[in-house]
Amino acid sequence: MHPDLDVRSIRLLPVNFQSLTSTAAAASRTFLDVLLVKTLSHTDPLSASQRSLLLPVWFANLDLEKIPTSDQLEDMHGGSAIVEDIQCAIISVDSIMRLRLKGDVGTSLWPRVWGWFEFLEMHRNYLSAADIPLLPEIDAYCTFITFVSFVRVHPATYDLMSTTPQFWGFIVEAWSLIPQMDDTAGEAAEAVRAIMLHVVAQLLVASKASPDSQILAEMIEAAGSIDHLARLVLEFIRVTITEPLPDSASPASYLQNLLFFAIGAGVCQDKESDMTSRRLISALCELDLNRELLSVIFFLCDRSDPDAWIVLGLCVWLMRYMVNLSRPNMWLDALLQRGLLRALILVTHRAGIDSDEVEPRLREPLRAFLRDVTSGLVYYRPIITFEKAFKEAQGSISADTFKDHPLSADWKHFLTATRDLLDALEGFHSPSFRTLKACDNLECGSIGETNAMAGRCSGCHTFYYCSQECQKIDWKAGHRNCCASHSGLLLAEHDDPNLSFKERSFLRALVHHKYLKERRSICFKQVQVLAAHPADSETSPLLFTLFNFDRCPPVVKVHEVGNLPKRVADLVGTDSAEWTDIVERAERDGGYTQLHGLCVRDGKRPRVWVIPLRTNIPLIHEGLKALADRVRLGELSDKRALLREIRRVLDEEVTEIH
């Protein structure tokens, strides 16, 4: 037992207290004896060190053997020994938890304090009905968490507390009361709330709660569900940035610990526990985490808190996680509507501080976000919202805004990529934009307006025909054997319910815009790949041109269909019946079809759609093949000369559609 709990330390008290305290610590004590010590200690104030000398009294009255059993509770009545023990324990728990104790005394005190505190709170309703006075719930939890804050600094005491079953459940109970404190804590509400926020934040980050931990399971059980725990996280953020706190409080520190907890407890999937099978981050996202993250950014960018940049980095990291997680970037649209672009500008200015520490914690998340966010802007809804936000921000963002900033190159790539996307959007909205389709009967291939097509295959919803006759011809030619396989690569209507007709049309328009913008360069790459093919081969290789919008800036690469890089082959699924049919049709098409693909971020991983380029005549295909033969024979070795020849080929009057 700790020396401070030895009853002999009572001798160090003033003489008028010694007899009273000895009586209150004795086995034969009564409730009035204990109450008298507490009352006199307040009416005849003792110093902080002297109040600590009363510990033996409170310790003696928290004997765990005196905690009533359920049967004893049922039989208790006013004036009984059980009631006396409970009343003495109430005074003792409250008195101990209001002392500033040395951390090392906590290992001896904790089992008794916890045992009685747990009993009193678990039976609060029953005891209150029996007219046993208890502290109001919010006061009880405030004193409990204050006590925890004093003794947790001692490692052995913290280990003992944190491994006590249901300890973390009581922390969640205390956490849930924070929003109510402005109504119930009186004039000291701000200070008490700050203490609660501080301790809860410190304990959360110290908990090391991961998705498969017993700690997180206790928290979820106390909260009621993972959604309720997520609501507590969001409420913590709101209180921290909206409610008044003392000047000494550190909102950035509280938020930092909270976000570390949310990330640690929510990013990884627990494969064993049903309780935590829905990740905390996912629950937070569904409950509008994006709104709170942006609020935090605007709040901290308006303050001089030295720890703000750490929290800003966490916010950017979480927003990037959300954008990459969603399909197809639904949270990006919400973030943009609520001021994402303005927030990125503010955070970038904050990241301009000349500090080695800022580099990994803030600049790296910003770099990654600027790189990744463009992959979400390939979708119609987000790019529409971005267009509006970009116009509103033009006064504070330009090519020279971050000219001398450490993130200057990253912003340059971002602005280049987004301006290209906005150009594609402008073309898509242009009155001259037409939605064209090519007849999928390979013997026809005529190109016309979508609404002029006679029909679409009712099975795959992917192939179009200019007449019923063409549809019958193509069905007999082989489509009947492959119709059911067309469900993932060709932007079919039923492939993804989140992709409306306009979304799919914009994706095709985006590929076409990129193709027309880099047409000569793409054809140059195609000629090079064709020229590298063995001269003695009977047929030229079929090419697959991939427009990779999962990169910033987007890149275009040309591959042989029969020699795709493993990553690309895995994305398109080269062993699927759909891919096989697409390739076979292009090989039979005689140059009317080029296989183009669009790679975008779709949820957690990239996704590729095949968006064929169709032409009304195969002149470009034949011209590029002829140039490849000349390159192979050494007749065209100069790059500029080859580009001039490619320009002549592209000058042919050919209709091209995606």
Side-chain angles (χ1 to χ4, degrees):
M1 183 173 66
H2 195 277
D4 289 356
L5 302 176
D6 192 330
V7 73
R8 287 174 294 184
S9 63
I10 290 173
R11 299 170 187 170
L12 300 176
L13 283 165
V15 175
N16 61 323
F17 272 91
Q18 291 182 20
S19 176
L20 293 172
T21 51
S22 295
T23 301
S28 59
R29 58 90 180 100
T30 66
F31 167 64
L32 291 177
D33 295 329
V34 178
L35 180 61
L36 182 60
V37 172
K38 178 182 179 181
T39 304
L40 287 176
S41 69
H42 288 285
T43 57
D44 186 10
L46 300 175
S47 65
S49 60
Q50 288 175 323
R51 282 197 298 273
S52 296
L53 295 174
L54 296 175
L55 269 176
V57 176
W58 315 135
F59 183 75
N61 281 278
L62 292 178
D63 187 350
L64 296 176
E65 295 294 327
K66 294 182 178 180
I67 295 178
T69 64
S70 298
D71 291 340
Q72 289 174 320
L73 279 177
E74 291 291 337
D75 295 335
M76 74 177 186
H77 53 83
S80 68
I82 295 175
V83 172
E84 289 251 326
D85 290 340
I86 293 173
Q87 290 174 322
C88 291
I90 291 171
I91 291 175
S92 300
V93 168
D94 183 50
S95 298
I96 286 177
M97 292 196 302
R98 294 183 186 275
L99 293 176
R100 288 183 174 271
L101 301 171
K102 298 176 183 177
D104 58 349
V105 76
T107 53
S108 299
L109 276 177
W110 173 252
R112 292 195 177 192
V113 171
W114 171 255
W116 274 99
F117 180 79
E118 183 182 33
F119 166 78
L120 294 172
E121 290 308 311
M122 287 183 65
H123 297 89
R124 170 175 286 276
N125 293 336
Y126 187 86
L127 296 173
S128 298
D131 294 326
I132 296 177
L134 292 169
L135 281 174
E137 184 181 37
I138 195 165
D139 291 341
Y141 276 98
C142 284
T143 52
F144 168 71
I145 208 163
T146 303
F147 169 76
V148 169
S149 73
F150 291 148
V151 298
R152 69 172 290 272
V153 296
H154 187 251
T157 304
Y158 174 73
D159 289 342
L160 182 62
M161 288 192 306
S162 63
T163 55
T164 300
Q166 298 309 314
F167 168 77
W168 293 102
F170 275 82
I171 295 302
V172 170
E173 293 287 350
W175 180 5
S176 67
L177 295 172
I178 292 176
Q180 304 174 30
M181 300 185 69
D182 55 339
D183 298 326
T184 59
E187 295 180 359
E190 293 179 17
V192 175
R193 188 192 303 112
I195 292 172
M196 294 283 281
L197 287 168
H198 178 75
V199 177
V200 169
Q202 290 292 324
L203 287 171
L204 286 177
V205 75
S207 70
K208 305 295 183 185
S210 60
D212 57 350
S213 72
Q214 181 61 33
I215 292 174
L216 184 59
E218 280 187 20
M219 290 182 174
I220 294 171
E221 183 179 6
S225 69
I226 199 163
D227 278 344
H228 288 140
L229 183 60
R231 287 190 177 92
L232 283 179
V233 171
L234 297 179
E235 189 61 41
F236 188 113
I237 294 174
R238 293 187 193 108
V239 169
T240 305
I241 66 177
T242 60
E243 298 294 332
L245 296 173
D247 293 337
S248 59
S250 174
S253 176
Y254 305 160
L255 292 166
Q256 174 186 337
N257 291 345
L258 179 76
L259 294 178
F260 273 133
F261 164 76
I263 292 170
V267 171
C268 300
Q269 179 77 37
D270 174 23
K271 298 179 181 179
E272 298 179 1
S273 171
D274 290 338
M275 182 175 290
T276 55
S277 60
R278 274 194 66 213
R279 296 172 298 177
L280 181 58
I281 291 295
S282 296
L284 285 167
C285 291
E286 291 172 12
L287 292 170
D288 226 1
L289 175 63
N290 62 70
R291 180 196 300 273
E292 306 309 328
L293 292 177
L294 288 171
S295 296
V296 169
I297 289 175
F298 296 135
F299 172 77
L300 290 179
C301 283
D302 196 36
R303 295 172 62 90
S304 57
D305 195 316
D307 294 326
W309 55 270
I310 302 175
V311 183
L312 293 173
L314 291 173
C315 289
V316 173
W317 189 94
L318 279 167
M319 289 192 301
R320 174 177 173 246
Y321 181 84
M322 291 174 65
V323 167
N324 288 341
L325 180 71
S326 63
R327 296 188 62 211
N329 293 285
M330 60 180 180
W331 286 314
L332 176 57
D333 187 49
L335 283 164
L336 286 165
Q337 289 183 43
R338 290 167 176 160
L340 172 63
L341 188 57
R342 182 164 61 94
L344 290 176
I345 295 169
L346 290 173
V347 174
T348 302
H349 285 305
R350 194 66 179 258
I353 300 171
D354 187 15
S355 168
D356 293 337
E357 290 182 299
V358 171
E359 177 64 29
R361 295 289 188 90
L362 182 52
R363 292 178 192 161
E364 283 308 311
L366 265 173
R367 283 192 175 98
F369 193 90
L370 289 170
R371 181 184 65 244
D372 288 357
V373 72
T374 54
S375 67
L377 295 176
V378 302
Y379 296 102
Y380 183 73
R381 279 176 49 199
I383 191 62
I384 282 286
T385 309
F386 179 81
E387 180 185 38
K388 180 181 178 182
F390 189 77
K391 289 178 180 177
E392 293 173 351
Q394 280 190 332
S396 57
I397 183 172
S398 67
D400 295 329
T401 301
F402 304 109
K403 185 176 181 181
D404 299 318
H405 196 282
L407 298 176
S408 175
D410 303 278
W411 270 96
K412 182 178 180 181
H413 289 318
F414 171 74
L415 291 173
T416 299
T418 53
R419 286 194 179 105
D420 198 30
L421 292 169
L422 291 173
D423 288 344
L425 181 66
E426 183 180 1
F428 184 63
H429 286 161
S430 170
S432 61
F433 178 81
R434 293 190 303 164
T435 303
L436 300 175
K437 291 289 183 184
C439 179
D440 280 303
N441 172 21
L442 299 184
E443 296 179 13
C444 174
S446 62
I447 295 174
E449 298 281 354
T450 301
N451 55 13
M453 288 287 168
R456 178 181 62 179
C457 177
S458 59
C460 63
H461 295 271
T462 302
F463 284 29
Y464 283 79
Y465 302 96
C466 63
S467 66
Q468 290 186 353
E469 184 63 29
C470 277
Q471 185 170 2
K472 291 177 183 178
I473 292 172
D474 192 54
W475 183 257
K476 293 178 181 179
H479 184 56
R480 61 183 171 186
N481 300 321
C482 306
C483 179
S485 69
H486 286 277
S487 61
L489 281 177
L490 289 173
L491 273 176
E493 181 178 350
H494 61 283
D495 174 41
D496 191 331
N498 293 313
L499 293 176
S500 63
F501 174 79
K502 181 158 281 189
E503 288 280 6
R504 299 195 309 276
S505 296
F506 179 68
L507 289 172
R508 292 189 178 94
L510 180 61
V511 172
H512 197 67
H513 169 82
K514 187 69 173 175
Y515 169 71
L516 293 179
K517 184 177 180 180
E518 300 185 16
R519 201 168 172 224
R520 275 210 304 162
S521 171
I522 291 170
C523 289
F524 179 82
K525 294 174 184 177
Q526 291 173 337
V527 168
Q528 286 183 310
V529 174
L530 289 170
H533 197 63
D536 57 354
S537 176
E538 294 183 1
T539 59
S540 296
L542 187 63
L543 304 182
F544 182 61
T545 304
L546 184 63
F547 297 76
N548 190 354
F549 279 82
D550 189 34
R551 301 280 300 274
C552 181
V555 295
V556 181
K557 290 188 176 181
V558 179
H559 308 284
E560 287 186 48
V561 164
N563 190 30
L564 293 176
K566 184 178 184 308
R567 178 175 178 273
V568 177
D570 290 343
L571 289 174
V572 299
T574 51
D575 57 348
S576 69
E578 183 177 15
W579 172 256
T580 301
D581 182 55
I582 291 170
V583 170
E584 289 178 353
R585 291 179 68 88
E587 288 174 336
R588 300 198 314 268
D589 202 20
Y592 286 85
T593 300
Q594 283 190 32
L595 294 185
H596 289 182
L598 171 66
C599 179
V600 298
R601 175 70 55 173
D602 185 37
K604 298 179 183 178
R605 61 189 298 270
R607 177 176 185 172
V608 169
W609 282 295
V610 177
I611 304 179
L613 177 73
R614 302 289 295 272
T615 61
N616 62 336
I617 49 177
L619 289 180
I620 294 178
H621 171 74
E622 293 169 356
L624 296 182
K625 280 178 57 181
L627 291 177
D629 290 338
R630 292 174 60 189
V631 171
R632 191 185 300 114
L633 295 172
E635 297 176 7
L636 269 176
S637 57
D638 182 67
K639 179 179 179 179
R640 286 179 295 181
L642 176 56
L643 287 172
R644 284 196 298 271
E645 292 298 321
I646 289 174
R647 176 178 289 177
R648 291 192 183 97
V649 170
L650 296 179
D651 283 342
E652 297 286 352
E653 290 292 331
V654 177
T655 300
E656 296 176 300
I657 66 164
H658 277 97

